[in-house]
Amino acid sequence: MKDYPLIKFVLFFILGILVGYFFNIRLTYIAFASLLLLIINAAVNFTNFTLGEIFKNILLLSNIVLIGACYYLAISNASAYYPFSDKKIYDTELIGKVESLELLQNDRFSFELNVEATQFNNFKSTKKYLSIVNVYDSHNKLNKLVNVLKPGNKIKVKGTLTEPRGQRNPGEFDYRRYLNDKGIASILSTYNTSNLLIIDSSKSIFKSIVYEIRLRINNRIKKLYDSTTAGLIKSLLLADKKEISFSDKGNFINAGVMHVLAVSGLHVGYILLIFLFLLSRINIYLRYIFTILGLVVFLIITNSPPSVFRAVVMAVIFIISVMTNRNYNGYNALALSALVVLLIKPTELFNAGFQLSFLAVLSILYFYPLFNNTINRLNVKSNMLKSLLLFISVSIAAQVGTLPITIIYFQKLSLIAIFTNLIVIPLVGIIVGLAILSLAVSYLSFGVALVYASVTNFLSSFLFWIINKTGSIKYSHLYLNHFSNLDLFFYFISLLFLVIFFKKFSSLKSKIILCFLVIVNYAAFSTLDDNSFLAKNKLTIVAIDVGQGDSFLIKFPNGTSALIDAGNSTSSYDNGMRTIYPLIKYLDIDTINYAFISHVDADHYAGFLSLFNTGIVKKVYKPLLDSSLSKDVQLEKYLHQLNLPVRYYEKSILRVGNTRIYILNDFYTNKYFSENDRSGFLKIAYGNNSFLFTGDAGLKVEDYYINRYRDFLKSDLLKVGHHGSKTSTGDYFLKTVIPKYALISVGIKNKFNHPSREVINRLISNKIKVFRTDLNGAVVFESDGQTITEVNWKKRTSNFILE
């Protein structure tokens, strides 16, 4: 490859950003070192002082690294952090200016607010920070707000202020760090549009125009297309994926085509071709100028994500090089666009869109010509077959560069990506073209536009059908949950080694041997940091943080798994699929052998519903059917439809290897107690250690079990009843169980004020160590049958992920 100074500069500038990110060095030290090195560089280059060329290059590149680190630290110091000690504050009033507005969703309207003042509980702060504001109300009321609120408006809004959710469970995405890197410190949620008041209607002219254009396009899309297609078109043209369902996104990932939902070079290429086609009959210079303007407008209305910015910059450079009869160099164009993005916002380096977009193009620039030359040497006579091979080679080239990043973000490797891309990419191109055509025509004749829209609806339905069919195939993808930073490093080192030495071998046989050796060595090195989160031959209990609810994962020494409760599931968040399913996949658990529903309250059983549908649950235990409860009747019908074996709580022993699960419920507790008191009362014993789970059982039934079982209730760990409510965990019960540890599953600052101060004091007075999911996130214990150990899961799962 030729000597590209701009690429070298950008690569070392990026290295500097990584140095600033990874190493906790004060900005003043980095700035001083950078200035000192800059002076040395100047002295070497502008005096008679002689140094070797290699040493000069080392000085220069070191200076670029320090400049990159200095620049990152200077800019990222402005990154926001939650400014208050309470993670959740009710009745908080924010005053500030609207920074940017999102498009309206069915049940929510969101925007960013530059906060100037915060007030709650007679406390007022003038600390400035950026907050997301989510407004929930009826669609009509939200629509009225959308038409009134503009960027730049000064507003007063009252709601619940929260710190963004961090990594609360093993393997979970750290949303807080993601938002902090974007400069966002908090989230305010309000459930009535009347809680928002515009106190100054001054607005940002440019941002308001851009938002108005996006809003008008969004409204036109909703008029033309059905809801599913509208969500797809908004993703393709407005970079808004919020109306594509979670399950559909999962199938796009499984099928290896998630990239088509992110507005990127693919879509910019379509826009470029459309403009060049429509303007083909006008003066060539005007054609190029209008095309550049069209690309810039497209960049603006998509809110300028890094992938679009990169593609537009490269396209504009290409057009200008054609206009001026200069040679176009893809590497330099890519480097320039990356530099501009990082100068505007260096934290974009840790954005998935930036990484995937730039690595895909870099990989295509290098590998596609090699594939092309190989295909040409094959002398393929069929033009159609040759085009197909070239198309496949582009897809493979892109995946070579993006494969490890894709695995880190999605923890999946699609096995059918090449096949699905052959169908999906051309289909998406047609949909994009028809969508733009129908939108443009709709301003001339809405009736004609509906004809084009109906075709688009049909193609969109076909696209989703393909994605859902291929993405739901059992072996369409592999879960690779432990792909680490070290694996990422070894991957790119192996790829670099292959790039350097591949051309040095002339024969095909030697090249195949080289590839084989590189793959074998990579496979060997990538296992250096492999370790299982769940210790072998030990009992592991994971108290999963599901907010205000219960969920406990048990991995037995013989490999069997059980799940006691699965948290809640609502229209906005399903703990089953969003929290528990990713966790069990991360822990390499394929089967839940026993699912225990403590009782039929939504915060205990609702998350199970989606888990049942995946087929991973093999047997269900629950309280006797209460025909007076419609939710219990519906649950039983659902279990029957899925042919899931159901057992009811009654005094019995389940033998799981060397572990015993004692079900303590009997006929009396099942018949004559309240719904909460009928909760499954389970004791797990392994060697000399034992664990007691009580669901939401109250004081009355606790006394019953004391009289019934007495010393048998003694356990090392107690799952505190009813999330720490004062209706459970009596003093006499604690003195009978005599636990060393108490585990409370509870939501942060929940509306029930759980756990009760009375219960906490009772636990402390009995010298019981208390663990709470609202304070600790997930809590993990291991037992070897003799001792119980608390696991610091954040250290065990520590892996830097570029977010």
Side-chain angles (χ1 to χ4, degrees):
M1 190 169 69
K2 297 177 183 178
D3 187 26
Y4 298 113
L6 182 59
I7 293 177
K8 288 182 180 178
F9 177 87
V10 173
L11 288 175
F12 281 90
F13 186 76
I14 287 172
L15 181 59
I17 293 175
L18 292 173
V19 168
Y21 188 97
F22 275 112
F23 300 101
N24 189 22
I25 306 173
R26 291 181 63 179
L27 174 60
T28 49
Y29 296 160
I30 291 283
F32 177 77
S34 180
L35 181 62
L36 182 63
L37 206 56
L38 195 63
I39 293 170
I40 295 173
N41 264 296
V44 167
N45 286 284
F46 297 106
T47 65
N48 293 325
F49 189 76
T50 57
L51 278 176
E53 199 63 33
I54 294 177
F55 190 72
K56 283 184 179 181
N57 285 333
I58 291 173
L59 272 178
L60 177 62
L61 295 175
S62 299
N63 210 164
I64 294 169
V65 170
L66 288 178
I67 289 171
C70 190
Y71 188 74
Y72 169 77
L73 290 171
I75 300 297
S76 66
N77 280 343
S79 293
Y81 298 95
Y82 187 71
F84 308 109
S85 57
D86 285 346
K87 296 182 183 295
K88 192 173 187 179
I89 309 171
Y90 294 101
D91 297 323
T92 303
E93 184 178 84
L94 302 183
I95 297 176
K97 289 185 178 179
V98 176
E99 175 68 19
S100 62
L101 297 159
E102 297 290 333
L103 296 172
L104 176 63
Q105 298 178 58
N106 290 328
D107 63 340
R108 183 176 68 185
F109 178 47
S110 303
F111 57 90
E112 292 180 7
L113 184 70
N114 273 314
V115 180
E116 298 172 356
T118 309
Q119 189 166 347
F120 55 87
N121 300 332
N122 298 319
F123 169 81
K124 186 172 183 179
S125 168
T126 55
K127 181 177 177 61
K128 292 179 172 57
Y129 58 94
L130 190 61
S131 180
I132 292 175
V133 177
N134 293 322
V135 185
Y136 300 87
D137 209 329
S138 68
H139 189 76
N140 288 337
K141 289 183 179 179
L142 290 175
N143 204 40
K144 288 179 182 178
L145 180 61
V146 167
N147 292 321
V148 173
L149 197 62
K150 304 297 177 190
N153 287 172
K154 189 170 185 178
I155 66 166
K156 181 191 294 184
V157 59
K158 192 172 185 179
T160 301
L161 190 71
T162 58
E163 181 181 27
R165 182 183 175 98
Q167 189 181 30
R168 306 286 298 177
N169 295 292
E172 189 173 87
F173 178 70
D174 193 337
Y175 186 55
R176 180 173 61 219
R177 188 171 74 179
Y178 169 76
L179 289 183
N180 287 165
D181 284 343
K182 293 168 74 71
I184 297 168
S186 70
I187 299 172
L188 184 113
S189 299
T190 185
Y191 295 87
N192 197 319
T193 54
S194 63
N195 290 331
L196 188 150
L197 177 67
I198 298 175
I199 55 181
D200 185 349
S201 57
S202 301
K203 61 184 181 181
S204 168
I205 301 300
F206 178 74
K207 287 183 178 179
S208 294
I209 291 172
V210 172
Y211 175 66
E212 194 65 33
I213 293 171
R214 283 175 59 82
L215 192 60
R216 287 178 181 273
I217 293 173
N218 176 62
N219 292 338
R220 186 63 54 144
I221 287 171
K222 288 190 171 184
K223 286 181 180 179
L224 284 169
Y225 308 105
D226 61 47
S227 58
T228 303
T229 304
L232 176 65
I233 300 301
K234 284 175 65 176
S235 174
L236 298 176
L237 297 184
L238 298 176
D240 186 337
K241 298 193 289 286
K242 295 185 181 68
E243 291 189 14
I244 296 178
S245 71
F246 178 77
S247 60
D248 282 336
K249 287 178 184 175
N251 284 326
F252 271 83
I253 293 169
N254 296 344
V257 292
M258 185 63 180
H259 61 92
V260 302
L261 295 181
V263 181
S264 61
L266 178 68
H267 308 82
V268 171
Y270 292 143
I271 300 297
L272 179 64
L273 290 174
I274 289 168
F275 270 102
L276 291 175
F277 175 75
L278 293 176
L279 303 173
S280 60
R281 293 186 177 276
I282 68 173
N283 178 277
I284 188 170
Y285 290 106
L286 288 176
R287 183 197 313 166
Y288 290 146
I289 290 169
F290 283 130
T291 300
I292 291 172
L293 290 174
L295 291 173
V296 172
V297 169
F298 181 68
L299 173 66
I300 292 170
I301 66 172
T302 56
N303 271 346
S304 308
S307 55
V308 180
F309 191 95
R310 185 268 311 156
V312 168
V313 169
M314 292 186 72
V316 169
I317 293 172
F318 173 74
I319 292 171
I320 292 173
S321 66
V322 172
M323 288 175 64
T324 56
N325 290 318
R326 294 177 179 272
N327 291 326
Y328 174 77
N329 185 280
Y331 291 107
N332 280 331
L334 182 66
L336 179 61
S337 58
L339 181 62
V340 174
V341 171
L342 294 176
L343 286 175
I344 295 171
K345 196 172 185 180
T347 54
E348 288 292 356
L349 179 62
F350 311 107
N351 180 291
F354 179 94
Q355 296 159 24
L356 292 171
S357 177
F358 281 86
L359 282 173
V361 174
L362 181 61
S363 189
I364 290 170
L365 286 174
Y366 183 82
F367 288 105
Y368 177 71
L370 300 179
F371 295 153
N372 187 32
N373 291 336
T374 303
I375 291 168
N376 286 333
R377 285 199 297 269
L378 294 175
N379 294 320
V380 178
K381 295 181 179 180
S382 170
N383 289 331
M384 183 177 292
L385 179 59
K386 184 176 180 180
S387 298
L388 180 63
L389 291 173
L390 290 173
F391 185 85
I392 291 173
S393 68
V394 172
S395 180
I396 293 173
Q399 289 184 50
V400 167
T402 59
L403 184 64
I405 305 296
T406 303
I407 294 172
I408 280 183
Y409 283 113
F410 302 127
Q411 300 179 350
K412 295 177 182 178
L413 172 63
S414 176
L415 302 178
I416 57 173
I418 294 175
F419 167 73
T420 49
N421 274 282
L422 287 175
I423 302 171
V424 169
I425 290 178
L427 189 55
V428 166
I430 297 170
I431 290 172
V432 168
L434 282 172
I436 293 172
L437 181 62
S438 57
L439 285 169
V441 171
S442 69
Y443 291 97
L444 302 174
S445 171
F446 196 80
V448 174
L450 283 174
V451 175
Y452 291 113
S454 64
V455 177
T456 311
N457 282 327
F458 171 77
L459 292 177
S460 170
S461 300
F462 180 57
L463 174 70
F464 277 97
W465 181 82
I466 291 172
I467 298 300
N468 292 333
K469 285 294 183 183
T470 55
S472 59
I473 296 172
K474 187 175 182 179
Y475 299 107
S476 65
H477 59 281
L478 295 175
Y479 279 95
L480 299 173
N481 304 318
H482 303 289
F483 195 87
S484 67
N485 296 323
L486 193 61
D487 296 331
L488 182 75
F489 174 75
F490 284 138
Y491 179 89
F492 283 117
I493 288 295
S494 301
L495 190 61
L496 182 63
F497 183 87
L498 197 60
V499 165
I500 292 171
F501 290 98
F502 192 80
K503 288 185 177 180
K504 296 183 182 297
F505 292 88
S506 56
S507 70
L508 180 61
K509 183 179 179 181
S510 60
K511 289 182 178 182
I512 292 173
I513 293 172
L514 173 67
C515 291
F516 175 76
L517 291 174
V518 168
I519 292 170
V520 168
N521 277 277
Y522 168 73
F525 280 109
S526 65
T527 60
L528 290 177
D529 65 338
D530 283 0
N531 53 67
S532 176
F533 179 88
L534 298 173
K536 292 182 179 179
N537 303 317
K538 288 186 178 182
L539 177 72
T540 304
I541 293 178
V542 182
I544 306 171
D545 182 6
V546 290
Q548 184 62 18
D550 271 9
S551 187
F552 305 93
L553 179 67
I554 295 98
K555 185 68 180 292
F556 297 94
N558 70 346
T560 302
S561 299
L563 186 64
I564 302 175
D565 291 330
N568 206 345
S569 174
T570 66
S571 58
S572 59
Y573 195 89
D574 176 6
N575 270 298
M577 288 308 293
R578 303 290 290 271
T579 301
I580 298 170
Y581 190 75
L583 173 64
I584 63 178
K585 286 299 181 183
Y586 177 79
L587 299 178
D588 297 320
I589 294 174
D590 296 320
T591 301
I592 300 296
N593 302 89
Y594 304 100
F596 295 96
I597 298 173
S598 65
H599 63 297
V600 189
D601 268 355
D603 60 328
H604 291 257
Y605 88 94
F608 265 126
L609 301 179
S610 55
L611 291 176
F612 292 153
N613 201 43
T614 64
I616 63 170
V617 174
K618 300 307 175 185
K619 187 180 291 186
V620 178
Y621 283 80
K622 65 181 289 291
L624 281 172
L625 171 64
D626 185 344
S627 57
S628 66
L629 291 175
S630 60
K631 57 185 177 181
D632 201 2
V633 173
Q634 291 299 319
L635 173 60
E636 291 269 350
K637 285 183 179 178
Y638 186 63
L639 292 170
H640 179 72
Q641 289 171 1
L642 295 174
N643 293 318
L644 264 173
V646 180
R647 302 288 185 271
Y648 299 102
Y649 292 136
E650 59 180 344
K651 187 176 178 181
S652 58
I653 303 172
L654 300 178
R655 292 172 172 80
V656 186
N658 294 329
T659 309
R660 300 291 182 268
I661 304 174
Y662 297 93
I663 300 175
L664 304 184
N665 304 64
D666 57 24
F667 176 81
Y668 191 80
T669 56
N670 287 336
K671 279 287 186 182
Y672 299 107
F673 281 98
S674 67
E675 184 184 351
N676 280 352
D677 287 342
R678 290 199 298 271
S679 292
F681 224 81
L682 310 175
K683 179 174 178 176
I684 299 175
Y686 176 52
N688 294 328
N689 296 144
S690 54
F691 310 81
L692 189 62
F693 294 86
T694 63
D696 279 356
L699 298 169
K700 182 181 176 182
V701 77
E702 285 177 357
D703 290 339
Y704 175 83
Y705 282 119
I706 290 169
N707 294 327
R708 181 94 167 132
Y709 294 103
R710 296 193 178 276
D711 291 344
F712 185 73
L713 293 179
K714 184 178 178 181
S715 301
D716 297 298
L717 183 146
L718 170 68
K719 198 293 291 187
V720 175
H722 206 174
H723 319 289
S725 166
K726 63 182 179 181
T727 61
S728 299
T729 322
D731 192 52
Y732 187 31
F733 182 69
L734 286 177
K735 284 179 168 50
T736 303
V737 178
I738 322 175
K740 297 175 185 175
Y741 310 104
L743 190 54
I744 304 176
S745 183
V746 65
I748 297 171
K749 283 289 189 77
N750 58 87
K751 63 182 179 181
F752 307 104
N753 293 317
H754 294 157
S756 161
R757 174 47 55 187
E758 181 182 337
V759 170
I760 294 296
N761 290 338
R762 194 177 296 152
L763 293 167
I764 292 171
S765 66
N766 281 278
K767 297 181 180 180
I768 301 167
K769 190 172 182 180
V770 180
F771 295 87
R772 296 165 49 173
T773 57
D774 61 334
L775 301 181
N776 307 106
V779 181
V780 181
F781 292 100
E782 284 178 354
S783 166
D784 60 4
Q786 300 299 320
T787 58
I788 296 174
T789 307
E790 182 203 354
V791 175
N792 186 335
W793 60 265
K794 290 193 176 180
K795 283 188 176 180
R796 189 173 284 189
T797 62
S798 61
N799 179 40
F800 170 71
I801 295 177
L802 303 177
E803 297 180 323

